[in-house]
Amino acid sequence: MNTLSIPALQPEDATVPATSPTILVTGATGTIGTELTRILSEKGVVFRVMVRSARDVKKFNTLAGVEVVIGDFNDTATIAQALVGIDRAFLLTNSSEQAESQQLNFVTEARRAGVAHIVKLSQFAADLASPVRFLRYHAVVEQAIKLSGMAFTFLRPNLFMQGLLGFRASIAEQGKFFAAIGDASVSAVDIRDIAAVAAATLTGSGHEGKIYTLTGPEALTHPEMADKLATALGHPVTFVDVPPAAMRDALIQFGFPIWQADGLIEDYAHYSHNEASVVTTDVQDATGSAPRDFAAFAHDYTSVFLTALSSH
Ligand SMILES: NC(=O)c1ccc[n+]([C@@H]2O[C@H](COP(=O)([O-])OP(=O)(O)OC[C@H]3O[C@@H](n4cnc5c(N)ncnc54)[C@H](OP(=O)(O)O)[C@@H]3O)[C@@H](O)[C@H]2O)c1
């Protein structure tokens, strides 16, 4: 691992060494980014990550081929520094009220820096006219990337299977988890498959201009997911449907900002209308491997769910 010296990377006068990475990964400390950086490193790819805190540099100590630069989506000068010498960039932020402007900052700086190809982590059914705020902001950023003239690949994943890990305390304490989704089916996708698609598009060819709608291999209701979790964990797990207002209160109590809690309620309203049950072949098309099913996710994360059980 190599930590970049920021003062050496002024965009105006930087001379980029021949060995300098040409791939930049943002969001590298997050759910998908952690898996993506592991895959790239295992493939022997030399790449750069942009992290916003010096405290996070050590998280990449064990990964070969990684150069770390400190940068913040709210600070365009640091984005410009992170982009020096970059040909392909992976764009990911969390879904906050600032996400749209942060990502538009990045698109502007990427175009200025001469980036050839942006791989953007978007969301299933991104649409400028969607009633779901997350789907609207992703569509705004997708549109800006298209208009920028840079090559693009948009990854539009459905609900993350790993999102259920957020319920592991209530699954451990009560054998229950709660959401406002009714009996609708969702083709949830494993984040390991999303990261594999991101790695393939950042390192391979033929992905320019593609929009990959990333789903798992099946659409399941939440009670069906509960049954599969129960089988893997070896104890009863029940799904409890709750009204949107109750779910919103719980999210706010849990510490979600209002904007985000309201966005999640909009997301779940969209799921509850069975609008996220389509199953695609896009993971297989992009990577050559079939996506993991929910039973595999439940099996592989049993110890994570059971850790929550033993800590209560
Ligand atoms: N959850 C789902 O079911 C779902 C489904 C479809 C699509 N999505 C999309 O997935 C995306 C989230 O992916 P994820 O779960 O992997 O994200 P995540 O775990 O929340 O990670 C967010 C990453 O962005 C970084 N970041 C945040 N603010 C930053 C800033 N100001 N400057 C630099 N870096 C910053 C974080 O760094 P720090 O470590 O410093 O915070 C972290 O690395 C969202 O766009 C969401 O719409 C989610």
Side-chain angles (χ1 to χ4, degrees):
M1 201 229 17
N2 175 20
T3 305
L4 208 59
S5 153
I6 298 293
L9 261 189
Q10 294 307 322
E12 310 82 39
D13 60 5
T15 46
V16 181
T19 53
S20 187
T22 58
I23 295 173
L24 176 71
V25 175
T26 65
T29 55
T31 308
I32 292 173
T34 300
E35 183 65 15
L36 171 59
T37 52
R38 190 189 63 73
I39 296 172
L40 289 175
S41 184
E42 282 180 10
K43 279 181 159 202
V45 176
V46 173
F47 63 102
R48 184 181 297 159
V49 296
M50 182 181 92
V51 298
R52 64 174 152 169
S53 164
R55 285 193 307 275
D56 288 327
V57 171
K58 61 179 179 302
K59 291 184 180 166
F60 300 93
N61 279 345
T62 56
L63 290 187
V66 186
E67 182 179 85
V68 183
V69 61
I70 312 296
D72 191 312
F73 283 112
N74 296 320
D75 180 344
T76 53
T78 63
I79 298 174
Q81 288 171 338
L83 284 164
V84 171
I86 293 300
D87 186 54
R88 293 187 189 189
F90 180 68
L91 172 57
L92 181 152
T93 70
N94 55 323
S95 275
S96 75
E97 200 166 1
Q98 291 78 42
E100 180 177 315
S101 64
Q102 290 175 333
Q103 295 199 13
L104 292 176
N105 282 345
F106 188 87
V107 174
T108 302
E109 293 306 320
R111 183 167 171 272
R112 198 172 280 157
V115 169
H117 183 177
I118 292 199
V119 177
K120 170 175 157 53
L121 195 287
S122 180
Q123 188 168 337
F124 182 101
D127 183 344
L128 290 172
S130 173
V132 182
R133 66 193 66 194
F134 301 154
L135 302 184
R136 288 197 302 276
Y137 93 71
H138 278 303
V140 168
V141 178
E142 286 187 359
Q143 190 181 49
I145 294 172
K146 279 185 175 169
L147 290 173
S148 74
M150 291 181 282
F152 65 86
T153 310
F154 299 146
L155 312 186
R156 292 182 176 174
N158 205 345
L159 176 70
F160 297 174
M161 290 180 187
Q162 279 76 0
L164 283 182
L165 295 171
F167 296 112
R168 63 188 187 276
S170 74
I171 290 173
E173 285 166 8
Q174 308 167 41
K176 291 179 182 167
F177 64 103
F178 308 81
I181 191 168
D183 58 1
S185 298
V186 183
S187 52
V189 61
D190 192 305
I191 64 99
R192 295 171 292 179
D193 294 317
I194 303 169
V197 173
T201 56
L202 286 167
T203 58
S205 58
H207 302 288
E208 294 85 353
K210 296 268 177 71
I211 298 176
Y212 291 121
T213 295
L214 304 176
T215 74
E218 64 202 332
L220 297 174
T221 64
H222 274 44
E224 287 168 339
M225 292 181 192
D227 288 347
K228 289 177 190 291
L229 278 175
T231 301
L233 301 184
H235 70 81
V237 179
T238 309
F239 169 69
V240 182
D241 188 47
V242 293
M247 182 172 174
R248 183 179 184 275
D249 287 349
L251 290 167
I252 290 167
Q253 262 183 23
F254 199 72
F256 280 88
I258 303 279
W259 187 92
Q260 230 162 312
D262 285 339
L264 285 165
I265 294 305
E266 292 164 1
D267 246 348
Y268 273 81
H270 155 71
Y271 302 145
S272 73
H273 299 137
N274 250 320
E275 292 169 357
S277 58
V278 169
V279 171
T280 73
T281 59
D282 291 9
V283 169
Q284 171 100 41
D285 296 345
T287 64
S289 300
R292 293 163 175 87
D293 64 16
F294 194 85
F297 158 73
H299 172 269
D300 295 347
Y301 284 79
T302 296
S303 63
V304 183
F305 283 106
L306 291 180
T307 305
L309 189 64
S310 60
S311 65
H312 283 86

